[in-house]
Amino acid sequence: MKSLLKYDKLKRILPQGTKQGEKMNKLTLGVLFGGASSEHDISCISAKSILENIDKEKYNIVKLGITRQGEWFLFDDDVNMLPNDEWLKSKSLKKAYITPDSKIHGFVTEDGEQIKLDIVFPVLHGKNGEDGTVQGLLQLAQIPFVGCDATSSGSCMDKAVTNAVADAFGIEQAKWCAFTEYEYGKDFDAYNDLKHKLIERGIPENEIAFIH
């Protein structure tokens, strides 16, 4: 498949209308959307809004979509196709993924093209997006990105860890407790009684956290 993008000698994406040899000051920004998460649809809506409002005078934008099954694609089409997964019908789709190889500092396409990214905006919600997994990949690749690092993202995604860290550093917070689905089954009556008094917050691995 012939590439839809135009590159300079450093394999950076050239703005539309830019000729080889012309000075290029724009940063190449990779926007990640979708994701293998229950919040996949929200991510696509968020990405559409960001892509419509981002300053295109400052950035060359590369759109990388992730399906619910975890497949990665380069998407070079209308952002109005993002909601309801209409983007998956685009003829522009090309398999591509961000590689942890820091020398590449970007992504690789199904054709073996290696494209440098200056920065990544992971517009991903929930599991496999906000939990430090993608952030860890970007840190390995040594690509700057928007948002918290892998440790902070993972700690804040898991509310039991978040509360434990806050306690460890003496940060005042509401009383809380966390338990697994297994523990809940062993003492159903006790935990069910808590449910009527507290606010429930879901956290990873079938755990539940309650806070006053």
Side-chain angles (χ1 to χ4, degrees), residues 57-183:
E57 294 298 316
K58 294 182 178 180
Y59 304 101
N60 297 314
I61 300 169
V62 180
K63 302 181 284 291
L64 288 168
I66 306 173
T67 70
R68 297 174 192 273
Q69 293 73 38
E71 292 183 278
W72 291 51
F73 290 97
L74 178 64
F75 170 71
D76 189 27
D77 213 330
D78 191 343
V79 297
N80 288 311
M81 297 178 73
L82 296 187
N84 303 312
D85 272 351
E86 290 295 314
W87 66 276
L88 289 171
K89 301 176 184 177
S90 172
K91 294 181 179 179
S92 75
L93 292 186
K94 179 188 287 191
K95 283 260 191 175
Y97 59 88
I98 291 177
T99 171
D101 189 330
S102 61
K103 186 176 181 179
I104 294 174
H105 204 274
F107 66 94
V108 178
T109 72
E110 62 185 27
D111 302 323
E113 292 179 297
Q114 299 177 4
I115 311 302
K116 175 183 168 62
L117 293 174
D118 295 306
I119 187 169
V120 169
F121 195 155
V123 191
L124 301 170
H125 294 283
K127 188 176 180 180
N128 301 315
E130 290 181 296
D131 57 0
T133 49
V134 168
Q135 289 77 11
L137 170 63
L138 295 171
Q139 285 176 226
L140 284 172
Q142 298 181 25
I143 305 172
F145 58 92
V146 177
C148 301
D149 64 12
T151 301
S152 301
S153 299
S155 298
C156 291
M157 181 74 175
D158 188 323
K159 297 302 179 287
V161 174
T162 306
N163 292 329
V165 170
D167 280 348
F169 283 90
I171 299 172
E172 292 188 6
Q173 60 177 330
K175 292 181 180 180
W176 65 280
C177 70
F179 51 88
T180 64
E181 187 176 15
Y182 172 75
E183 291 168 328

